[in-house]
Amino acid sequence: IPQLEAIGRLDYFGGPWKFRNRYAPQRNVATNTIELNEKLRETCFVRRLKKDVYGELPELRNSIQLLSPSEEHMRHYRTVEHDAIEWFAEKARRIAEEEGSDGTAAYWHKRIRLEPAESLVRLTALREAVSTVKFDSVVAWLDNFIESSSDEKVIVFAEHIEFVEKIYNRYKDMAVKIRGGVSIKDRADAVDRFQTDPTCRIFIGNMQSASEGLTLTAASDVVFCELAWTPTMHEQCVSRCYGRANDMHGATAWYLLAPKTIDEYIYELLERKKKVVDAVTDGLDSVESSSIIGDLAVMLAERGLESGN
């Protein structure tokens, strides 16, 4: 809806109310996606896949790497996770009690999903705990990557600025970084050095700041130390080195996940969300969508309620 409104085409679909009723009548469910795709293409939407434009596009591989965090770090994570689970479970109980006989699971699920800002505060703390757990294992993984070759380069993405800085400080003799607040000149210098200097083997970027407008084709490997909230962000990051007309080569996207944490669940939700985006843009049958923040909040609340029973 925001995109259609921005380009002055929402009225063609009957306005926001009719659009929602026709194509998104229930939260997290997309309907009539084939029809929506056809109408979009009739009025305002052009989609050209790289594989169609470039012909024989090299392979893009996605690889999940399960890390091995120390037990000490995992104890820290479990403490933070326990607090988050208790908080969401108590919130679910309170909502259900307020509604009396109407306080069903479906009701409190909906209420929690409708309050993402409040949930995000708790989830951000939990994601930061995951980042703390992962850091040493991420460094070990990158060390192995660098040592396995004398010249291969790698692009490393993280979400939190602190994570970017810690990785850069670890590899600053062979790395460049781009994060929020970096000047246009420093961005250009960082890209130029990564592309041309054989001693510069690691590009480290904050996803928000480095996912667009950069050409990093000196590498064929993209590492995600942390996960974004949307699959589109990951695709944009990988596109810094893959499918570039001036240097066509394959690529591997490595997702470094901490097992038995919300990392695995977030990755699963991102994959589901990507299917919904593809359904609309490619004209496929409708599929269930997901609000990642909402789904995480509900999952944690359910775990707390189950343990409480």
Side-chain angles (χ1 to χ4, degrees), residues 195-245:
Q195 288 287 91
T196 61
D197 183 353
T199 67
C200 180
R201 300 185 58 192
I202 306 178
F203 174 93
I204 306 164
N206 160 250
M207 282 187 270
Q208 292 291 339
S209 303
S211 62
E212 297 180 340
L214 305 179
T215 297
L216 304 171
T217 50
S220 298
D221 293 274
V222 181
V223 176
F224 292 101
C225 302
E226 299 178 287
L227 297 175
W229 283 118
T230 66
T232 303
M233 178 64 75
H234 292 151
E235 292 173 3
Q236 290 174 340
C237 290
V238 172
S239 293
R240 297 313 94 219
C241 77
Y242 176 70
R244 312 292 287 185

